[in-house]
Each structure stands twice: as structure tokens, then as C-alpha cells.
Amino acid sequence: MYRKNAWEKYDEKTEAKVMEFAEGYKAFLSYAKTERLAVKEAVRLLDSKGFKNVESVKSVKAGDKVYFINRKKNVCAFIVGKKPITDGIRILGAHIDSPRMDLKEHPLYERDEFVLADTHYYGGIKKYQWVTIPLALHGVVCKKDGSVIEVDIGENDNDPVVGISDLLIHLAADQLGKSAAKVIEGENLDVILGNKPLKGEEKKAVMANVLKILKDKYDFEEEDLVTAEIEVVPAGKARDYGLDRSMVAGYGHDDRCCAYTSLMALLDSKKLEYTGCCILVDKEEIGSVGATGAQSRFFENAIAKLLELAGEKEPLWKARLTMENSKMLSSDVSAGFDPLFPGVSDSKNAAYFAYGIVFNKYTGSRGKSGSNDANPEYYAWVRNVMDEAEVSWQNAELGKVDQGGGGTIAYILGNYNMNVIDAGIPVLNMHAPMEIVSKADLYEAYRGYVAFLNSK
Ligand code: MN
Ligand code: MN
């Protein structure tokens, strides 16, 4: 069903399913505030559906389910198909990192009897959106003795939250004259941690108190923060949005909404003709770089290992062949058409809420630069898969020509000479602390991913 509102086609029973599916997603989004937590939850779900960690697997055959974890931030799971793996894999790939602020290596300082933590933002953010909202701290502190302390502050109702201050309107005459890009400067995204002195301490007494809390409650010292990874993210749970409850508000829809729907599509598949895969990657928001990003050799190695476990004698070469024969949906979000800002989109090629899974033949900027630009032959094949399964789908570009742009992981897998197209969910307020998606689009994306995995 091309470019039609999906709510119109649902009967009462289906609508109940759509709402129920969103409940599962809301729980996932509320928990998976970081890539590490997303992997943790994905693994819990994989285990519950009978997938095995590859480390405990000696061989694989059709119907077997295995997963590979990469440094706790990147995971890929497979269901081995009836056909040889080298015939190609149906791959769903999404990213599980989201824009946020990271504590610097040496973050803490006391000024005017406040203790603050200095941050460096991660991914593209409009900085002014991140002040005066409740923030939570999530991450790990890695100590020299090899122990790892998990930090999780601000989600529980009894927890304190932290935050970044902004100037009161009464004194903002100078500030309001600045451009939106400069109203809040990156170096000023510093999080307030405390304001109470430790009794009897003469110098930096507030800092002494914060350090005491960190020591008493979490058992680490200031210096341990050098080898920590603490992410500052919006505190609180995902919620229903709109009086009709047709949408979900939450932090990190980009791209955990596609990660969840892709993962669920694999989890709910049983016997597959072609080997099915869901890969969840880190670091997309900063260029898909590094060991846990989409550009890592991890995925290629995982496929080689899978082939080896299936009895393949030349796993490395066959992994390349397998990738050439594979088909992929790069499951990433699209810019949802915003009624308050219609001017940035070409309305004929925009993604509308509730019109279903969105295909982006290309993304990129300034003349499609950096985009995958899928082959029309492959796009037509995908279209047919969607229509056969009666999935609601639409096409979109990321805004008007030369309005801006962006990228996904599609081109990276495309480099393996694989057929790839971007397919995801439209988002409003993308990269803001509170993003919005439609429950109908969540459900249609999930159905689209299921149809893709089961395609012949
Ligand atoms: Mn994305
Ligand atoms: Mn993004």
C-alpha cells in the first residue's frame, strides 16, 4: 500500500495489535538509553527466543539461531536459512547510538560552590534544546584492576536527576541577540552535580562532598573517570503522545525504533529460506567509525565465522561472496513531515506520519554526496515484497534539494557490493531530547522487515 494512511486500513483487532506492539517498544526505549544498554536488552531478548551466543556453538545448520557480541556495543544475530548461506543473507541493519553528551575524561570542577561536569556532545544536536531538562547519567567506570562499575542515575522515581542551566529571561537581553547556534555554546554544556559542601572542609567543599558520594555509593575515585564512559541523556520513560495515543514520545527513536522493529522481526521469524540477520551497530551518529561502528570488520568476520561453523572450507572468500549475494534494508529513520515547517520538504517526496515504512533511495547532501543511491532493480524487488505482504510504505528524500542532508550506514554495506536501500520510520524532532514517532509506522516497519526476511 503506497502512500496511504495506515490507520485507515486497521480493523479493531489490528489496531489493538499496533498499540500492543508500541508498548513493547516503549519498554525497550525507556531502558535502552545507551548503545550498551541496547545490546544488553537485545541479548536478553535473543536468549529468551532461543538464540545462542556463538562462543558456545560448535557448528550450525538450517534453523539454528546464533548471535555475536562485539565489545558490548554492537551485536549481530542470525537465523540460518534452508538455502546455503552463500546464496546470500537478508540483512536488517540499524544503529543503537543516539545523540547525547558524554562526560569528558577529566570532567569535574567546582565553581562558585557548584560542582559541574564538563561534557563533549556526541552527534549532531541543537545545543539549546538540551538545557533546562532533567538528565540522567548512564555508563561504565573502568578501574585499573579490571573491574567495571555501572552507573545508572536519574531513571528511577527516587533517583535525583541532573541538568544544564540556562539564563533567566530577565537577564537574557544579550543572549537573545545571538544566533540559535551560539545561544548555548558547546563548551557550556556542563552538567550541575551538586551544591552542598562537605562539613568541616575548607577548600572546594562541594567537590569534596560529590567525590565522597561517588566513593561511598559507587566505589570509584575522580581519577577513575579518565577511563569511564558516561553518557548524559534525557531522563524518564517513553510516553504515549497525542490525545489519541497514536504516537510515542521518547529519547533515542533515532535509531532505536528501527533497531527494535528489526530485532523483533528476526526474533519472530522461525524457518527462513535465506539466512536472516539483524545487526545493531554503534557510532553511526559520528560517522560509523571504530571497532563497533558499521565500518568495522566485525560483521564480515562474523559472517566468515558463521560459514566456518556451517562447514565452509574457505570462509573468508565465501564471506565476501555471501555479502555480494546478500540483500539489505538499512533500517534508519527518516525526517517526518512537520506541519510547522513545511517549507524544508518537497511534499511529493516527504515522509508522512502513519504512511508506513519509508524508503530512501538516497540520502546525502549537496547533490546526493555521500549517499548509497540504491539500484532501481533492487528497489523494485523490495516494492514488490512490501506490496505482496500488504505493508504500508512510502518514499522520501531528506528534505528539499540543498536544504541540508544526512547519511546512514547504507553505503558502508553497499561497499561490499551488496544491494542496500534505506528503509525506516519517520521521526519528528529528530536528534532532539524528545523525538516522536507514529505507532502505525512502528508496526508497518516491523511488518515490512518480517516480509523482507521471509522473501524468496
Ligand atoms: Mn539514524
Ligand atoms: Mn541520527
Side-chain angles (χ1 to χ4, degrees):
M1 291 178 65
Y2 178 56
R3 284 172 79 93
K4 288 202 180 72
N5 193 306
W7 292 111
E8 311 259 8
K9 74 177 179 186
Y10 298 144
D11 57 18
E12 220 171 289
K13 221 174 111 195
T14 315
E15 192 166 316
K17 272 196 205 163
V18 173
M19 300 313 250
E20 193 192 316
F21 185 81
E23 290 305 304
Y25 172 60
K26 278 158 61 189
F28 175 82
L29 193 66
S30 299
Y31 175 81
K33 291 284 182 98
T34 67
E35 53 286 340
R36 278 173 194 267
L37 292 170
V39 166
K40 210 170 174 179
E41 182 61 6
V43 168
R44 191 187 69 76
L45 292 166
L46 285 161
D47 286 337
S48 76
K49 292 277 188 169
F51 284 74
K52 298 237 161 14
N53 189 326
V54 71
E55 282 168 23
S56 67
V57 171
K58 300 250 157 35
S59 68
V60 297
K61 56 176 188 325
D64 284 356
K65 304 171 177 181
V66 288
Y67 62 84
F68 298 68
I69 304 174
N70 183 14
R71 291 160 223 272
K72 300 178 181 164
K73 296 176 176 184
N74 173 200
V75 60
C76 64
F78 297 88
I79 298 179
V80 179
K82 284 184 220 149
K83 288 180 185 288
I85 298 167
T86 45
D87 281 12
I89 304 177
R90 301 280 188 260
I91 302 164
L92 297 169
H95 69 92
I96 46 176
D97 61 315
S98 296
R100 59 178 191 255
M101 292 158 293
D102 291 336
L103 291 200
K104 289 188 182 185
E105 290 163 82
H106 185 196
L108 301 184
Y109 69 96
E110 177 173 336
R111 184 187 294 161
D112 305 318
E113 295 179 53
F114 281 99
V115 165
L116 294 106
D118 214 335
T119 69
H120 197 139
Y121 66 97
Y122 172 101
I125 60 170
K126 287 162 112 175
K127 297 171 194 95
Y128 66 80
Q129 293 179 329
W130 293 72
V131 297
T132 69
I133 56 169
L135 298 170
L137 302 169
H138 290 278
V140 290
V141 180
C142 300
K143 300 216 288 187
K144 283 199 289 180
D145 64 5
S147 59
V148 175
I149 293 157
E150 292 198 25
V151 173
D152 168 8
I153 305 169
E155 302 295 352
N156 196 301
D157 283 348
N158 303 317
D159 278 357
V161 292
V162 293
I164 300 166
S165 61
D166 189 10
L167 205 47
L168 61 169
I169 182 70
H170 316 70
L171 300 178
D174 290 350
Q175 187 196 32
L176 291 177
K178 293 181 182 175
S179 72
K182 297 271 177 190
V183 162
I184 299 292
E185 304 264 3
E187 198 55 73
N188 263 343
L189 291 173
D190 294 0
V191 180
I192 292 179
L193 297 184
N195 176 238
K196 181 176 150 191
L198 188 66
K199 277 202 180 100
E201 207 71 24
E202 301 222 329
K203 275 191 204 152
K204 303 224 164 151
V206 181
M207 177 69 96
N209 196 41
V210 166
L211 292 175
K212 186 174 181 305
I213 292 165
L214 294 180
K215 179 74 193 158
D216 292 350
K217 189 149 188 242
Y218 293 95
D219 191 30
F220 68 81
E221 320 274 342
E222 185 179 8
E223 196 183 303
D224 293 321
L225 285 171
V226 174
T227 49
E229 212 167 64
I230 297 183
E231 304 181 6
V232 187
V233 301
K237 290 184 161 64
R239 308 274 296 266
D240 282 349
Y241 192 71
L243 302 183
D244 54 10
R245 296 183 179 265
S246 61
M247 298 165 277
V248 178
Y251 160 68
H253 284 314
D254 177 9
D255 184 32
R256 293 175 192 134
C257 64
C258 297
Y260 180 78
T261 44
S262 294
L263 181 67
M264 291 313 284
L266 188 75
L267 292 177
D268 292 345
S269 296
K270 289 190 180 81
K271 295 225 157 58
L272 292 174
E273 207 64 30
Y274 289 90
T275 298
C277 170
C278 172
I279 175 163
L280 306 179
V281 293
D282 178 27
K283 295 201 165 57
E284 192 276 343
E285 297 294 356
I286 55 168
S288 296
V289 287
T292 52
Q295 298 191 47
S296 165
R297 288 280 173 273
F298 165 71
F299 189 45
E300 195 180 346
N301 291 345
I303 291 174
K305 177 79 186 164
L306 188 74
L307 286 161
E308 195 176 44
L309 289 169
E312 188 53 64
K313 295 289 180 288
E314 297 175 283
L316 272 179
W317 160 236
K318 291 296 170 63
R320 288 193 171 189
L321 264 186
T322 302
M323 290 174 99
E324 278 203 348
N325 291 335
S326 292
K327 294 185 165 77
M328 178 177 183
L329 296 183
S330 162
S331 313
D332 205 348
V333 296
S334 263
F337 184 87
D338 187 332
L340 295 183
F341 299 95
V344 299
S345 309
D346 163 16
S347 60
K348 308 185 299 307
N349 291 283
Y352 293 92
F353 261 39
Y355 278 42
I357 186 169
V358 194
F359 293 93
N360 286 104
K361 185 177 184 296
Y362 46 85
T363 54
S365 51
R366 298 175 309 280
K368 300 188 179 182
S369 179
S371 101
N372 164 64
D373 210 344
N375 269 321
E377 290 87 345
Y378 174 55
Y379 195 175
W381 177 87
V382 174
R383 254 177 78 198
N384 187 50
V385 170
M386 295 301 128
D387 281 340
E388 293 276 299
E390 294 178 3
V391 172
S392 296
W393 66 276
Q394 54 183 325
N395 70 288
E397 283 197 36
L398 186 44
K400 270 185 180 165
V401 175
D402 286 343
Q403 184 61 234
T408 65
I409 64 169
Y411 76 94
I412 299 163
L413 282 298
N415 289 344
Y416 286 103
N417 196 20
M418 185 187 297
N419 269 317
V420 186
I421 188 165
D422 281 303
I425 293 168
V427 174
L428 277 187
N429 314 344
M430 198 191 293
H431 286 204
M434 184 182 79
E435 299 177 318
I436 314 295
V437 296
S438 157
K439 291 181 181 178
D441 295 328
L442 274 173
Y443 190 66
E444 294 301 318
Y446 162 75
R447 291 186 62 239
Y449 296 147
V450 169
F452 173 78
L453 288 175
N454 288 281
S455 60
K456 296 284 149 66

